Amino acid sequence: MIRLQGVGKVYRMGKVLVRALEDINLEIEEGEMLAIMGPSGSGKSTLMNILGCLDRPSSGTYLWRGRDVTQLSDDQLSEFRNRWVGFVFQTFNLLPRFSALDNVELPLFYRGVPRRERRRRAREVLELVGLGDRIHHLPSELSGGERQRVAIARAVVGDPRLILADEPTGNLDSRSGGEIMNLFEELNRRGVTVVVVTHDPAIAERAPRRVLLRDGRVERDYRNGREEVMAKDA
């Protein structure tokens, strides 16, 4: 599904060049679930932004089902994200004056889906995440775990093939975090590819595959407890 070949990312901070990622080679299979781990500054969020086409690599190639997405225009990248990728963030990123139902509808609104169809699909996914009785509540009327469920519903309402979750349990207690991971596992069983960025080993252990970044490189790649890949200089 995804193949990164020699991907690097360099940011300029004044006169200083910061290498956030360097020579990343990574393949993600269709329907896989993996966790990306690493210390602060290791490049986890930068890698997620590149996987989700929120940012472009400075070097290397990103192939999506054999297509080089690094060559797409900004408009094409926006269309790509809206069609294929769902995002879940630590801070939920819900619109405070919109109900749960209205928040979940938003991706379909931007696709031009008719209102009746938007409402139907938004209700369906809110039922899926266990919030069928909370659809008209504002984010301020929901618990942290419920808000994250709304965010997940919004991410999946457009039927994406890839879910990218950046520290999705970081603001939640352990029970709510476990429930959120249960949802990701259910989505994965339905065939959705799920990538979770986390610093929490207990959350990472829920994923069959764990990729460890350090200093912008893949240091370890574990699948079902077995190490598959090591960085060249690890």
Side-chain angles (χ1 to χ4, degrees):
M1 182 181 191
I2 291 173
R3 177 178 292 174
L4 302 185
Q5 298 175 314
V7 164
K9 182 63 183 181
V10 178
Y11 294 102
R12 180 177 293 276
M13 300 181 66
K15 296 182 179 180
V16 178
L17 294 179
V18 178
R19 295 186 179 277
L21 296 175
E22 189 169 358
D23 195 27
I24 296 290
N25 295 291
L26 183 68
E27 294 187 5
I28 300 175
E29 300 294 334
E30 191 96 34
E32 194 169 16
M33 181 173 178
L34 67 149
I36 297 176
M37 300 186 67
S40 179
S42 62
K44 301 188 302 296
S45 293
T46 301
L47 178 57
M48 193 202 78
N49 288 341
I50 287 176
L51 289 172
C53 294
L54 294 171
D55 202 356
R56 295 177 183 267
S58 303
S59 58
T61 303
Y62 175 2
L63 299 178
W64 169 274
R65 294 174 170 172
R67 182 185 186 188
D68 187 354
V69 297
T70 60
Q71 302 302 314
L72 299 181
S73 68
D74 288 344
D75 286 345
Q76 288 173 321
L77 284 175
S78 179
E79 182 179 351
F80 173 88
R81 289 191 300 268
N82 190 259
R83 175 64 188 89
W84 298 109
V85 186
F87 297 93
V88 181
F89 301 96
Q90 179 177 356
T91 53
F92 317 132
N93 288 4
L94 301 178
L95 297 179
R97 296 185 180 181
F98 280 35
S99 69
L101 187 65
D102 293 333
N103 268 285
V104 174
E105 280 187 35
L106 276 178
L108 301 181
F109 172 82
Y110 290 122
R111 284 194 197 178
V113 176
R115 186 174 186 274
R116 175 178 284 186
E117 178 65 9
R118 292 199 312 264
R119 305 292 273 191
R120 182 189 68 78
R121 289 166 64 176
R123 285 175 182 271
E124 281 185 357
V125 294
L126 283 165
E127 290 280 356
L128 173 66
V129 300
L131 291 178
D133 60 343
R134 310 283 278 173
I135 63 174
H136 297 300
H137 286 65
L138 298 175
S140 61
E141 299 170 325
L142 302 172
S143 69
E146 288 172 334
R147 278 178 276 172
Q148 193 61 292
R149 287 171 179 266
V150 174
I152 292 171
R154 182 183 57 191
V156 304
V157 71
D159 193 27
R161 303 317 305 152
L162 173 66
I163 293 290
L164 295 173
D166 192 3
E167 298 285 2
T169 64
N171 285 335
L172 305 177
D173 58 44
S174 58
R175 178 180 176 181
S176 297
E179 292 172 350
I180 293 304
M181 289 305 296
N182 290 341
L183 278 175
F184 285 135
E185 288 172 349
E186 174 59 27
L187 292 169
N188 183 242
R189 283 192 289 270
R190 293 170 178 244
V192 180
T193 305
V194 178
V195 179
V196 178
V197 172
T198 182
H199 69 278
D200 187 341
I203 293 298
E205 286 176 2
R206 299 282 297 268
R209 182 182 178 193
R210 299 189 297 280
V211 175
L212 175 63
L213 295 187
R214 190 177 300 277
D215 299 328
R217 290 176 174 267
V218 175
E219 184 177 78
R220 297 285 190 272
D221 190 342
Y222 297 94
R223 199 187 305 267
N224 296 317
R226 179 179 177 183
E227 187 170 338
E228 298 284 341
V229 178
M230 290 180 63
K232 294 177 182 178
D233 56 352

